[in-house]
Amino acid sequence: MPKNQPAPITTEQAIARARYMLAAGQRLTNAADKVSETRNAPAAVNAAAEGVREHELLNYRVATIPGALEPVLEALILAVSTGAADPKELQHAAR
């Protein structure tokens, strides 16, 4: 395997990583909502909410960098295209 090529992962690992990515996105959305809710709050409260949002943005960016996405997408595409997994099963497992 070439040095820059990520190691293959299992369908189960891909689903777990995809769940993590979705959860990171949801945490970022929640943090952004909290910032909106605190716009008229005291400056310290709004600053704290902004800090949480920045932290969640960083987490989301790390979770979804191309190096993290590539093996997840490849494993899921391979599983579906080879018939190793039914798309309906993957959809159910992702919930």
Side-chain angles (χ1 to χ4, degrees), residues 8-91:
I9 61 174
T10 67
T11 303
E12 291 78 18
Q13 290 171 318
I15 291 169
R17 290 182 188 186
R19 283 182 179 155
Y20 177 78
M21 291 174 191
L22 290 171
Q26 186 59 53
R27 288 190 307 271
L28 176 57
T29 299
N30 293 345
D33 290 346
K34 191 57 71 179
V35 169
S36 295
E37 293 171 11
T38 62
R39 286 281 180 226
N40 296 324
V45 172
N46 187 257
E50 285 281 357
V52 170
R53 185 188 64 79
E54 288 297 318
H55 176 78
E56 294 302 342
L57 178 58
L58 179 60
N59 284 341
Y60 181 77
R61 286 181 176 166
V62 169
T64 59
I65 59 172
L69 283 172
E70 186 177 352
V72 170
L73 296 175
E74 286 179 353
L76 294 175
I77 290 167
L78 181 65
V80 172
S81 64
T82 61
D86 181 348
K88 290 181 182 177
E89 290 177 18
L90 290 175
Q91 184 180 16

